[in-house]
Amino acid sequence: MTQTRSSSVTNFDSWKHAYAARAANLSVSEVRALFSVVSRPEVVSLAGGMPDVSALDGALIEEAFNSMMASRRNYALQYGGGQGDLRLREQIQEIMLLDGVQGSVDDIMITTGSQHALELLADLFLDAGDVVMVEAPSYVGAVGIFRHKEAHIEHVFTDEDGISPEALAEAADRMTAAGKKVKLLYLVPNFANPSGVTLSAERRQQVLQVCKERGILIIEDNPYGLLYFENQPPKALRAFDSEGVVYLGSFSKILSPGLRVGYVLAPPAIRDKLILANESAILSPATFAQMLVSEYLSISDWKGQIDRYRNLYREKRDAALEALEQYLPRVQTTKPNGGFFLWLTLPQGLNSKEMLPLAVTELVAYTPGTAFYGDGRGANNIRVCYSHPTAENVKVGIKRLSKVINLQLDLLDTFRAE
Ligand code: PMP
């Protein structure tokens, strides 16, 4: 990654007396803390969840840009409406249909990436102490937002088939019995960040039922659904319930995260509040970026580009699984059918956070599992992101990682034998 944080930004002390109390919940995430390390060229980074934008056809992006400047320059350089551009919203309808989601253009709102949608929704629904239920583990960026809102983050048991509906019902009822307000369920049902797992079709129905019975709003975050390798994932939850599910999509993974264009399909009851919240936060989503995306969609074979990404990430996933089998047979891994991530469970006794400096010495970086929990769990997990390095470097990275892990295991074995 190229970003670095200026030291003046991280010096919180001089204005400590003036911060709102909730600012204490804003801390440097473990992923962000790695930025400066992973930008070194000799380090293979399996850390940040970045798409491989080198697979984009640059000439096509330029063509979209030129076409936008020729035909819509004044519009692109002007403020826009708070809900986002109508033509882009119509194009988004077509994209969502690929996930089985039908929605009116009136219910779609453009956001500055789906991260922004999460922030708006959390702000709209969560008072301090309210419960938001999430997968175990869950997306670090969402956990960070919920923590900042001083919500109670309840991780619910999740396995290879996604979140458990029984555990979800049990957790919701337990929280309610304890006098808490259970407001939201946040889910990444397809090729989840960080675990790579997909919620089964059967469980989707059960999860919908559990939430409907209890008046819990579902946030369905789906940035990876179109990047499947073998089989297309089951239909989105939103395809079965237009009132109880807020559906989030993004162009970050199917096109480019630099454009910062995402979208929400909201139940009509929520939509107007969301648009007001969007206007209050940013006046209007960036017209320039919206126009560029819209133009790109209209002049290019964007589905062909998604296929290119799918083939590329499949190759990298295969490289990662092959290398894990070869070099780290004692480590358990999920086997994602799409997306960017796989989730390792290390043998008992190893601590991924403590091991990270050693890994960096071996020139490989990863994200420790604790980043994906709000409650300190995940110490013997690692998220491996295979999307950005070349397939060859994914293998090199895992080989380097194996050196660190196997050394730790040997030490543990020796210690236990004594
Ligand atoms: N949700 C999930 C599950 C993600 O993995 C990410 C990006 N890593 C986001 C939301 C935010 O993406 P963006 O704001 O770029 O659309």
Side-chain angles (χ1 to χ4, degrees):
M1 296 204 182
T2 49
Q3 300 97 317
T4 50
R5 303 189 129 232
S6 90
S7 56
S8 61
V9 174
T10 49
N11 179 11
F12 294 113
D13 285 342
S14 53
W15 288 99
K16 212 172 176 177
H17 63 283
Y19 281 116
R22 64 182 173 282
N25 297 314
L26 280 177
S27 52
V28 180
S29 83
E30 281 159 270
V31 179
R32 278 194 164 272
L34 287 169
F35 276 174
S36 57
V37 173
V38 302
S39 61
R40 282 163 38 199
E42 66 276 22
V43 175
V44 171
S45 175
L46 304 171
M50 295 189 294
D52 187 351
V53 291
S54 68
L56 280 171
D57 182 343
L60 255 182
I61 309 272
E62 265 174 55
E63 202 183 311
F65 175 81
N66 291 333
S67 155
M68 169 184 91
M69 291 307 266
S71 63
R72 310 179 83 192
R73 184 177 59 194
N74 285 348
Y75 183 60
L77 293 171
Q78 193 51 272
Y79 285 116
Q83 188 167 5
D85 178 65
L86 178 61
R87 183 174 80 150
L88 179 58
R89 285 187 279 128
E90 285 166 355
Q91 291 164 314
I92 285 168
Q93 280 184 303
E94 199 188 332
I95 296 174
M96 292 193 309
L97 269 182
L98 299 178
D99 278 307
V101 173
Q102 254 175 319
S104 153
V105 277
D106 294 339
D107 298 335
I108 299 172
M109 183 184 86
I110 311 291
T111 55
T112 309
S114 51
Q115 188 70 19
H116 178 216
L118 282 171
E119 164 65 29
L120 294 177
L121 286 163
D123 205 46
L124 213 51
F125 285 98
L126 296 174
D127 288 314
D130 286 348
V131 177
V132 51
M133 298 194 290
V134 300
E135 290 143 317
S138 180
Y139 167 49
V140 58
V143 169
I145 289 175
F146 300 146
R147 191 186 279 138
H148 185 216
K149 302 299 170 197
E150 304 180 286
H152 174 102
I153 301 166
E154 183 69 16
H155 289 278
V156 176
F157 178 78
T158 304
D159 60 22
E160 283 276 353
D161 287 328
I163 199 164
S164 152
E166 292 80 23
L168 184 67
E170 184 278 321
D173 294 343
R174 182 165 36 83
M175 292 285 130
T176 306
K180 290 184 177 296
K181 287 187 188 158
V182 183
K183 298 263 183 87
L184 301 174
L185 168 65
Y186 168 72
L187 281 182
V188 186
N190 298 323
F191 324 128
N193 181 358
S195 67
V197 306
T198 294
L199 185 61
S200 70
E202 194 186 353
R203 283 193 181 178
R204 285 177 197 230
Q205 297 304 328
Q206 294 164 341
V207 165
L208 283 166
Q209 190 65 26
V210 167
C211 290
K212 197 171 192 165
E213 283 166 7
R214 292 164 178 79
I216 299 166
L217 182 66
I218 300 175
I219 301 178
E220 179 176 29
D221 186 7
N222 188 24
Y224 303 103
L226 295 179
L227 300 175
Y228 55 92
F229 303 148
E230 280 84 25
N231 309 310
Q232 189 160 11
K235 267 192 189 172
L237 283 84
R238 170 58 179 71
F240 304 97
D241 183 354
S242 55
E243 295 298 325
V245 180
V246 187
Y247 179 86
L248 311 188
S250 174
F251 287 97
S252 288
K253 311 292 159 41
I254 58 168
L255 178 56
S256 147
L259 295 166
R260 311 302 304 130
V261 180
Y263 51 92
V264 190
L265 174 67
I270 293 169
R271 177 198 66 202
D272 293 343
K273 276 279 188 208
L274 261 184
I275 297 170
L276 288 173
N278 209 20
E279 285 170 353
S280 160
I282 59 167
L283 298 181
S284 67
T287 325
F288 198 86
Q290 290 180 75
M291 290 304 95
L292 190 54
V293 173
S294 178
E295 212 57 28
Y296 170 82
L297 293 173
S298 67
I299 66 162
S300 76
D301 170 20
W302 55 271
K303 287 183 189 160
Q305 175 58 45
I306 293 176
D307 285 344
R308 265 202 300 284
Y309 271 143
R310 287 176 45 219
N311 291 333
L312 181 70
Y313 297 136
R314 185 196 298 111
E315 193 191 318
K316 295 183 187 204
R317 187 270 324 252
D318 288 345
L321 289 178
E322 221 174 88
L324 283 166
E325 203 177 314
Q326 184 177 356
Y327 301 115
L328 282 168
R330 288 172 70 184
V331 168
Q332 244 184 54
T333 177
T334 54
K335 297 198 165 76
N337 173 33
F340 288 8
F341 309 103
L342 44 86
W343 183 248
L344 306 185
T345 304
L346 306 178
Q348 280 305 323
L350 296 195
N351 184 312
S352 62
K353 202 166 166 181
E354 286 170 9
M355 229 169 56
L356 186 56
L358 295 174
V360 172
T361 316
E362 291 298 332
L363 305 179
V364 60
Y366 60 80
T367 314
T370 42
F372 307 96
Y373 283 96
D375 57 11
R377 276 188 276 170
N380 77 326
N381 296 108
I382 282 179
R383 183 188 75 175
V384 165
C385 177
Y386 49 78
S387 57
H388 191 251
T390 59
E392 201 42 49
N393 272 343
V394 167
K395 285 188 183 171
V396 170
I398 288 173
K399 189 173 178 192
R400 290 176 184 172
L401 182 60
S402 73
K403 202 168 154 193
V404 181
I405 292 179
N406 288 332
L407 185 70
Q408 299 278 306
L409 284 174
D410 288 349
L411 280 174
L412 266 184
D413 288 345
T414 318
F415 183 69
R416 280 176 185 146
E418 276 170 3

